[in-house]
Amino acid sequence: MARMSAEERRESVIRAATAEFARGGYHGTSTEAIARRVGVSQPYLFRLFPGKKAIFLAAAERCVEDTIRMFAEAAEGLEGEEALHAMGGAYIKTVSEQPERLMMQMQMYLAVAAAEQEGDREFGEAVRTGWMRLWDTVHLPLGADANETTAFMAQGMLINCLVAMGFPADHRVWAGFNPSAPES
């Protein structure tokens, strides 16, 4: 069996960290749990990343990058209403089928709020920078219209909440996302 390169090991740490942070949040996740999931020692983990914060921010960055890529692929060659529906459908499918992605997003927002309460602005700046790249990714296909982009992102947050609370796809709370669906 071939040994993993440092970059491959780093990738496995990011994947493991995403799973652990998604479930336990920043404060509820230990670096020991991440190291155990990857199958490395904590000292090795800290050779790859300078600390827990760096590991969390790498996982957060990956979450944002994956979402940006998903939106860009869904909207490729589309504009306006077509892009909106394609990106929205891709997002609902992704967060429904990959709960860790949704949970990591939610944990990112909570971690920023907690860090800001503790006076740590660096944490929030990193996450906000990623979120703005996400905003820009959807802004152009929606015609660079701030109102359309705001409405899209607001619906995304509602989707996050509905999926996180476990509302099934056929529940009436989803009717507003599909105007042709019957309200019950």
Side-chain angles (χ1 to χ4, degrees):
M1 184 177 210
R3 282 178 51 105
M4 274 195 235
S5 70
E7 190 54 38
E8 290 169 327
R9 186 70 74 183
R10 186 176 165 80
E11 284 301 309
S12 68
V13 169
I14 292 170
R15 283 192 305 274
T18 297
E20 292 294 327
F21 286 128
R23 188 180 51 75
Y26 181 74
H27 292 291
T29 299
S30 68
T31 55
E32 180 182 334
I34 296 167
R36 188 174 37 250
R37 183 180 276 255
V38 177
V40 299
S41 66
Q42 275 186 296
Y44 185 80
L45 190 71
F46 293 124
R47 281 197 301 238
L48 297 171
F49 294 91
K52 180 178 175 178
K53 184 179 189 178
I55 298 168
F56 184 88
L57 290 174
E61 174 71 18
R62 176 60 49 78
C63 182
V64 168
E65 286 302 320
D66 288 347
T67 305
I68 286 171
R69 186 175 25 269
M70 181 258 319
F71 281 144
E73 288 171 3
E76 189 172 348
L78 305 175
E79 292 180 354
E81 197 78 17
E82 287 180 324
L84 182 134
H85 290 294
M87 289 186 297
Y91 186 72
I92 290 172
K93 183 178 186 329
T94 298
V95 297
S96 296
E97 294 176 359
Q98 299 173 29
E100 281 182 356
R101 293 261 302 266
L102 169 64
M103 292 166 46
M104 184 63 198
Q105 264 190 63
M106 303 294 263
Q107 294 293 357
M108 287 164 46
Y109 308 140
L110 292 170
V112 168
E116 301 264 326
Q117 285 285 312
E118 296 170 358
D120 180 352
R121 301 260 319 140
E122 177 191 354
F123 208 92
E125 285 303 317
V127 174
R128 282 188 290 273
T129 296
W131 201 87
M132 287 308 303
R133 285 194 349 271
L134 185 62
W135 169 277
D136 291 340
T137 299
V138 301
H139 189 62
L140 292 177
L142 297 179
D145 182 291
N147 292 330
E148 286 288 325
T149 305
T150 298
F152 181 82
M153 297 302 269
Q155 276 199 335
M157 289 302 185
L158 178 56
I159 290 166
N160 287 353
C161 293
L162 297 176
V163 171
M165 289 187 286
F167 281 104
D170 61 348
H171 194 280
R172 65 187 169 94
V173 299
W174 291 99
F177 290 93
N178 182 1
S180 63
E183 273 197 52
S184 52

